[in-house]
Amino acid sequence: MFQKITQFFRENKSLTYIILFGLVLRLIFTLVVAPVYFNRANIFVDGDTGAWTRAIQNLIHYGELNFLKPGNDITAYSRMPGYSFFLAPSFLIVTLFYKIQGLDIHNYSAIWDVALKLTAYTQIILDTISIFLVFYIAKRLFSNYKIGIISAFLYATYPFVIVWNPVCYSEIPSIFFALLALALALKGDKKYILAIAGISLGFAVLNRPQYALLAPFVIFLFYQKYKGFTKESAFQALIFYVFFTITYGSWPLRNYIRFGKVVTTQDLSGISNWNQEVIAFMQYVYSVKAEWDPQFSNIIHNKPVKFPPIAYRTPEDSIKLERAIYLSQNCGSGFSYWKGYWKNPIPANDPSNCSAEAAQLFNELRANQIKYNSVNFYITIPLQNLKKALFKSELSDSKSLVQKLGGMLFYYRTFLLMLGIIGLVMMLRDRFTIPIAMLIGSFFVALYFYLSFGTSPQCRNIEMRYLLQPDVLMLLPAAFLLSKLRFLDTFLNKFTSTVSTSK
């Protein structure tokens, strides 16, 4: 096996150079750039990391996967479980080391400090492997080595993937397992390979629920693989989907059996700073405008809060809104747990907690917005969200030079997306590439429109990491378009000249 791998990379030196270059970029960012870019000493931890670490810690020590503390049912499904399981090997390895050394295995802070660093470098390794997976998928889908090479290079240098490498969040594992699923589904004729492919995509969804929207469109991959729907392609697709369903389905099934509640993704309401009035406020804001700031920050810091004129449709709504803002600022438990809140946190069981009343007011105001300003709710705001998703050009906090440069990279992202969209249109004109365009384009459109136009609590909150999954796949049609440009042909021929004719 090892000999075959080394032989492959000797014969494909151009790909080897791209993979090594991608690895170097990831290491340089992690070791040199990340502390400045994130403006914090610990680059491995972000806001949600603690929930995932607590969940696997609780499972190992108390037998219950819970993102806060055992016995609190509502926090048992407040996050997707995939990343907690991804963290488990690092946690167990460090715990075993502590036990062998006679150290305190209940010193979780010290154990996680090491385990998260180990996890971060594991993610760098996996993301470097993803460069090869992107190459393999593109080469197999298009039957074109050059498109594979261009795709690999675009992924290896894609800044919005690189920045997530050292952060212990589920972005990098979700991308890796989704790419692995596509690669194995393309490669595999054997049942066990197709089963692993289905499990991989299921695990990707358990890391990032966005990938659930990719699952139905994988059928086009099997169509492309066999140049049509045949008995063989149908049988392979069946195996893939059975194991995908078993893997992902175990999560909502567990929630229903264990807690009697149907939770297909996650329920944030059990988290202190996502109490009912915060979620109600978020949904109300997204019925009025496309951003929740500066109103959210002004509530946290007890500053005057003003909404666009459309929010003050009637005197009754104006009074309700002022009352809801006052309650949120002074006695809303959820708001009080956000960093920077102007006074001490208010526990949920505190007699002064007024979250329920504030949530009711925001929900009533939202209902009125939908009823009386429906064009704004269903069309204007979603189009603003879509514009932001496609053309975002700055970071929310760009104080440092590195962050400002990082903000400029959004123009590069938009450029690649435009190339990808043009590439998709070109692919739809070619009978051979139509299934590929349907696979990638359908996922891209479905997720972008779901996040921009959807009305659930998970929607309209446009963060770039929520769009990373379709953006990665859009690199393939971008590579398809670039492969058609004549001025690149000479360079590509020279760059790939070291590759054997057996490629």
Side-chain angles (χ1 to χ4, degrees), residues 215-470:
F217 305 120
V218 174
I219 192 69
F220 291 111
L221 182 147
F222 290 99
Y223 182 94
Q224 174 72 3
K225 184 178 176 181
Y226 286 94
K227 305 300 183 287
F229 291 118
T230 64
K231 289 184 178 180
E232 184 65 21
S233 65
F235 179 69
Q236 290 196 11
L238 178 63
I239 295 174
F240 175 89
Y241 282 114
V242 165
F243 281 89
F244 164 78
T245 303
I246 291 172
T247 304
Y248 163 65
S250 62
W251 175 242
L253 184 63
R254 169 260 194 186
N255 295 331
Y256 181 74
I257 293 174
R258 177 71 174 80
F259 304 104
K261 187 172 182 180
V262 178
V263 181
T264 57
T265 54
Q266 61 190 27
D267 183 348
L268 295 174
S269 60
I271 303 173
S272 298
N273 63 328
W274 284 105
N275 206 345
Q276 55 184 321
E277 92 278 10
V278 177
I279 294 176
F281 165 80
M282 179 176 67
Q283 290 222 278
Y284 168 68
V285 168
Y286 292 148
S287 72
V288 175
K289 56 196 287 285
E291 302 277 359
W292 79 344
D293 263 335
Q295 288 77 16
F296 174 78
S297 295
N298 288 347
I299 287 176
I300 297 298
H301 299 114
N302 199 30
K303 295 180 179 179
V305 179
K306 292 295 180 184
F307 280 85
I310 199 171
Y312 305 98
R313 188 188 62 83
T314 65
E316 292 80 5
D317 277 2
S318 301
I319 294 170
K320 279 186 180 181
L321 183 55
E322 291 302 318
R323 174 66 176 169
I325 291 170
Y326 174 83
L327 294 174
S328 299
Q329 286 180 323
N330 291 276
C331 54
S333 176
F335 282 105
S336 74
Y337 278 93
W338 283 84
K339 184 179 180 180
Y341 183 66
W342 68 284
K343 59 180 182 176
N344 293 330
I346 303 167
N349 59 357
D350 192 303
S352 67
N353 176 21
C354 59
S355 294
E357 182 183 353
Q360 181 179 349
L361 290 171
F362 281 128
N363 288 332
E364 291 173 359
L365 289 164
R366 181 176 187 270
N368 284 344
Q369 286 294 319
I370 295 172
K371 183 177 180 180
Y372 298 109
N373 298 315
S374 56
V375 173
N376 183 62
F377 180 80
Y378 287 112
I379 298 176
T380 305
I381 295 172
L383 288 176
Q384 291 173 358
N385 292 333
L386 188 61
K387 178 183 177 182
K388 177 182 175 182
L390 290 169
F391 301 106
K392 181 179 173 65
S393 60
E394 61 182 12
L395 293 170
S396 58
D397 180 10
S398 56
K399 296 178 182 178
S400 71
L401 176 61
V402 171
Q403 288 176 321
K404 290 179 180 179
L405 292 174
M408 293 178 64
L409 289 175
F410 281 113
Y411 292 111
Y412 175 62
R413 172 184 173 270
T414 298
F415 173 70
L416 287 180
L417 283 178
M418 294 302 102
L419 290 183
I421 292 171
I422 297 171
L424 282 176
V425 173
M426 293 176 61
M427 289 162 61
L428 287 171
R429 299 172 62 186
D430 186 333
R431 182 179 178 183
F432 172 74
T433 55
I434 285 177
I436 313 170
M438 293 301 294
L439 167 67
I440 299 171
S442 298
F443 178 48
F444 173 76
V445 171
L447 185 52
Y448 266 67
F449 274 78
Y450 171 72
L451 290 177
S452 298
F453 286 80
T455 58
S456 75
Q458 310 294 334
C459 299
R460 303 193 177 202
N461 182 21
I462 306 298
E463 291 189 31
M464 292 302 103
R465 62 191 177 96
Y466 299 159
L467 301 167
L468 191 56
Q469 292 77 18

Side-chain angles (χ1 to χ4, degrees), residues 178-209:
L179 292 174
L180 180 64
L182 296 179
L184 291 177
L186 280 168
K187 176 180 175 58
D189 293 324
K190 296 180 180 179
K191 296 177 183 177
Y192 77 92
I193 294 180
L194 294 165
I196 295 172
I199 292 170
S200 295
L201 186 59
F203 191 66
V205 175
L206 292 178
N207 274 272
R208 274 295 166 200

